[in-house]
Every structure is written in structure tokens, then in C-alpha cells.
Amino acid sequence: MSFRLFELMLWAAGYTVVLSAISIAIGLIIGLLVCAAKLSSARALSLPATLFISFFRGVPLLVQLLLIYNLLPAVGIMVPSVVAAVVGLSLCTAAYQAENLRGGFNSVPRGLIEAADMVGLSPWQQLTRIRAPIALRLTLPALVNEAILILKASSLVSVVGVIELTRMAQNLAASTYKPLLFYAVAGGFYLVICWTVAGGGALAERLTKAGRA
Amino acid sequence: MTLDFGLMLDKMPEILSGLWVTLWMWVVSTILGAALGFLVATARRYGPAAVNWFLKLCVEILRGTPFLVQLFLLYFGGPFVGLRLEPVPAGLIGLTIYASAYFSEIFRAGFQAVPRGHVEAAECVGLSRTQILRRIIAPEMTMLVLPQCVNMAIILIKETAILSIITVPEMTMVIGAIGSQQYAFVDAMFLLAIFYWVLVEICGFLGRLAEARLSKFRFAVS
């Protein structure tokens, strides 16, 4: 493999990382909203949230991507395929992150909330100072896990024509007739990315004492 | 762009054959993957350190790369090392190996989670080694790993959709092709999504049922 081709693969790996990072960030925001809706006592909010989580966790990401990619133009929204890909990845990860966050909020020790009540914190202060920080710290390990899952799942957006790592490997494998080499290199890049994220996550967990209340 | 369900009805044999391919490939790869994963977990626990180290590396590589890339490597790269496979066997082998890596981690955690004291207590009251394995370790481990195994099985149903990319004639490929022929791809994808959704919900329901039935062992663990 010439240096020029390696450079192309490296660029595509960067594209995969950026694509996944954007999707995870958007997914976290949507996930927080869905989690809030799901934890709400109003059925008009919790029922749609339950359906959202069940649907996006119950349908293969490939089918979601094909659906969104073809649905957007059909309803008159013309966007580049990469936008459809980010929408699909974000919605899918939002469902998983909402469930993780729900677990985090439910594990905030009851005593802490009672103590906050005692010292006279308002419900909003309780949320922003006690419950949200603790819930986020509890869900950090799950978030790192989800980030790795999305990095790997982002390979599926190659199907809707986004030139990321997998698609680049596919193109180069076809044009050079060396599939073994290029898919192995792509796999190597994914490994390096995933292990880096896992290592960074472990470090962050140690520094913030995440995973504990 | 409404889907003509009359035409869809005409295509019923094709859809059913796609559903059948999805189901059997899912069941076979789940069972084979779990069996292989159990062997890997056992070899890592009771085998020599070198075997443990080598298998750990394999598992980490399989868990750190996308299934699609593994599948491409096997299906398109295979012929270059003399491994020429049809789509269905390639998909089955790929899915089984992929599943075995995750199952092996589930079983490894299961082995570690059986409390040492229970085995010691069983030895004290004079149970034989096979009795301990059959009456203590196996039931406790089953209870511990069952939820994760159900979860993995659900993940695998969804992974079977990826097999359509290497032209395995399963549900996604069949329904996608019908959708393209009838210029109603979006409707076809909706239908497909609902198919998978129902399948996953059924699997989750059966899993919870099995957990409830097996929960008589739970008090022994906690």
C-alpha cells in the first residue's frame, strides 16, 4: 500500500471519528430529553418516550438508516447522505443513552435527595447540583461503552454512500483488487480508535471516581 | 408512494422465505456462537496462560472491530487465501465467530461470579465434583448469565440484517428488493422495521419469561 492510499485511509478514519462524535453528542442531548420524558409521571410524555426507546432499540440500525435515508427525500427534505446518516446514528444512540441515563437517575441514593430537601434546596437546585451530576457520573462507564458501540456501528453508514472508513476500504479494495489488505487495515484503524476510547474512558473513570455515587 | 399490499400479498412466498432465512441463521449462529463462546471461556479459565493470552487477543480484536468489516474480510478477502464461500455459509460463519467473542465474555463473568463459598460448602457436605458442577455451579451460572445471553440473542437478530449487504437472501434483502421493484422502498422499510420490532419484542418477552421461571435459583446467588 502506497503512502497516498494510507493517507486516504487515515483521512477516512478521522471522518469516522468525527461522524461518531457528532452523533454521540446529539444523541446524548436527545437521550437526556427522552429520559426526562420517560421519568415523567405524565403518561402523555412517558408513553411516547417508551415507544421511542423500544422502536430504536428493537430495529436494526441498518434498517433505520435505510428508512431515514429514503424517507427524508420522500417527504421533501433534501439533505446530503451524511446528514441522514448522522440523524440515524443519533436517534439510535439516543434510545440507548436514555435507558442508561434512566438507570443513573434511578440509582441516585434516596438519602442524598432527602438531605438536599432538609437543607432547603429547591427541586431545580436538587436536579442541577445533586441528581444530575451524580447520575452523569454513574452513567459515564455506560457512555464510554455506547461511544465504542457507535464507532463500530458507524461502519453501516457506508451503505447509504457516506465515504467513511469502511466505505473507503471498500472503494480501495475494489480498485486495487486487494480486499484482504484494505479490510485488515480498516479493522486495525477501528481497533486503535476503540482501544483509545476505552483507555481514555478508564482514565476518566479513575479521575472522576465515576461509576460510584 | 403507498405500498400496494395486494402486490405484497403476491410476494408472500418470497417474504416468508426471507423470514425463514433470518430465523434459522439467527438460531443456528446464536447456538453455535454460545457453544463456541463457552469453549473459549472454559479454555481461558482452565487452560495454560499462553492459551488464555492468545484467546484474549482474539476476543479483543473481534470486539473492537465492526461486524461489517469482519464480514467483508471473510467474504471478499477469503478467496485470496483459498477460502471461497457462498454468501449463506460466509454469513453463518462470520456471525457465529462474532457472537462467540461476546458470549465468551458473558460466560467468563459467569464463572467468576459463582461465589467461592458455595463450592466450598458443597465440598464440605461431601458432594462429588460432578455433583458440584451439576447442582451448584451450573444452575447458579445459568441464572447469572441468562439475562445477558437473552440480550446477546436480541443483538444478534439485529445483526442478521447486515448479512443482506453480502447478498444473503434474508428479510432485509428480500423486502428491500420488493420495495425497489414496486418503487415503494420507504413503505417496504417501514414494514421491515415492524417485522424486526415484533421479533425483538417477542424474544425479549420469552427471555423475561425464562428468567421468571429460573428465578427459583436466584436466592442462592444473592
Side-chain angles (χ1 to χ4, degrees):
Chain A
M1 181 161 54
S2 72
F3 182 69
R4 176 78 193 112
L5 294 184
F6 185 77
E7 229 178 15
L8 277 175
M9 290 293 282
L10 200 61
W11 179 86
Y15 199 90
T16 284
V17 171
V18 172
L19 192 76
S20 308
I22 293 173
S23 304
I24 290 159
I26 298 174
L28 181 61
I29 296 166
I30 303 174
L32 269 169
L33 295 175
V34 174
C35 172
K38 169 105 188 178
L39 287 173
S40 154
S41 49
R43 267 186 81 73
L45 285 174
S46 68
L47 192 66
T50 307
L51 276 179
F52 177 93
I53 291 170
S54 163
F55 181 81
F56 283 100
R57 286 176 15 133
V59 175
L61 180 62
L62 178 65
V63 177
Q64 292 174 26
L65 285 170
L66 288 173
L67 184 59
I68 291 167
Y69 179 67
N70 291 286
L71 180 69
L72 290 179
V75 295
I77 303 170
M78 294 297 170
V79 289
S81 55
V82 62
V83 175
V86 168
V87 170
L89 282 175
S90 306
L91 288 177
C92 181
T93 184
Y96 285 93
Q97 293 193 41
E99 277 298 85
N100 291 340
L101 287 166
R102 192 168 67 98
F105 273 104
N106 282 338
S107 320
V108 174
R110 190 83 205 103
L112 288 178
I113 299 168
E114 278 166 15
D117 249 342
M118 290 291 196
V119 297
L121 294 188
S122 70
W124 177 251
Q125 281 176 318
Q126 283 181 25
L127 179 68
T128 55
R129 309 247 172 129
I130 313 283
R131 293 174 57 203
I134 291 175
L136 285 175
R137 208 165 64 187
L138 283 171
T139 44
L140 184 66
L143 182 65
V144 173
N145 211 14
E146 182 61 25
I148 291 171
L149 285 178
I150 286 298
L151 273 166
K152 290 188 287 168
S154 74
S155 65
L156 292 180
V157 307
S158 62
V159 174
V160 295
V162 178
I163 315 270
E164 41 64 76
L165 187 49
T166 302
R167 188 55 180 247
M168 183 63 89
Q170 226 175 330
N171 290 352
L172 296 181
S175 58
T176 60
Y177 212 54
K178 283 180 185 156
L180 218 46
L181 175 65
F182 281 100
Y183 291 132
V185 170
F189 273 122
Y190 278 112
L191 269 185
V192 170
I193 297 167
C194 289
W195 286 350
T196 307
V197 172
L203 191 69
E205 278 165 37
R206 260 217 313 283
L207 292 178
T208 61
K209 297 190 172 65
R212 281 177 272 166
Chain B
M1 54 152 235
T2 38
L3 193 67
D4 188 337
F5 280 96
L7 269 173
M8 216 63 182
L9 220 56
D10 289 346
K11 300 279 184 188
M12 218 47 187
E14 279 176 53
I15 295 175
L16 285 179
S17 87
L19 182 63
W20 168 242
V21 172
T22 291
L23 285 177
W24 82 255
M25 288 190 78
W26 168 55
V27 171
V28 172
S29 65
T30 302
I31 292 171
L32 291 181
L36 188 58
F38 187 79
L39 285 180
V40 170
T42 313
R44 282 188 65 182
R45 187 174 173 84
Y46 298 109
V51 171
N52 177 25
W53 186 87
F54 174 73
L55 289 175
K56 183 180 158 74
L57 184 70
C58 293
V59 168
E60 289 305 317
I61 288 174
L62 286 168
R63 289 179 359 127
T65 49
F67 176 52
L68 183 60
V69 174
Q70 296 167 16
L71 206 55
F72 279 164
L73 202 55
L74 179 67
Y75 183 65
F76 295 115
F80 286 82
V81 290
L83 190 68
R84 194 173 296 278
L85 291 166
E86 292 295 309
V88 171
L92 202 60
I93 292 171
L95 200 55
T96 299
I97 292 174
Y98 170 81
S100 71
Y102 289 85
F103 274 119
S104 81
E105 286 293 284
I106 293 172
F107 290 126
R108 202 169 63 90
F111 275 131
Q112 282 170 356
V114 173
R116 186 83 200 92
H118 290 189
V119 178
E120 279 165 13
E123 281 166 357
C124 283
V125 295
L127 295 189
S128 70
R129 282 193 64 139
T130 41
Q131 276 179 320
I132 293 174
L133 193 67
R134 203 166 70 82
R135 308 239 170 188
I136 310 293
I137 296 179
E140 290 197 11
M141 224 180 104
T142 310
M143 193 52 227
L144 286 164
V145 300
L146 187 74
Q148 279 110 307
C149 285
V150 171
N151 198 22
M152 191 60 216
I154 289 175
I155 290 173
L156 287 173
I157 297 187
K158 295 190 281 170
E159 301 288 19
T160 58
I162 295 175
L163 299 178
S164 66
I165 301 173
I166 61 161
T167 67
V168 172
E170 46 69 76
M171 234 172 19
T172 302
M173 187 180 160
V174 169
I175 295 186
I178 294 172
S180 305
Q181 283 162 20
Q182 300 191 12
Y183 301 101
F185 195 74
V186 175
D187 306 59
M189 285 298 118
F190 261 119
L191 192 70
L192 185 61
I194 288 167
F195 260 132
Y196 279 112
W197 195 9
V198 170
L199 214 55
V200 165
E201 288 296 330
I202 290 174
C203 187
F205 174 76
L206 291 179
R208 283 191 295 275
L209 212 65
E211 265 171 61
R213 275 193 69 102
L214 282 172
S215 63
K216 59 183 170 187
F217 295 118
R218 181 169 278 156
F219 74 97
V221 175
S222 55

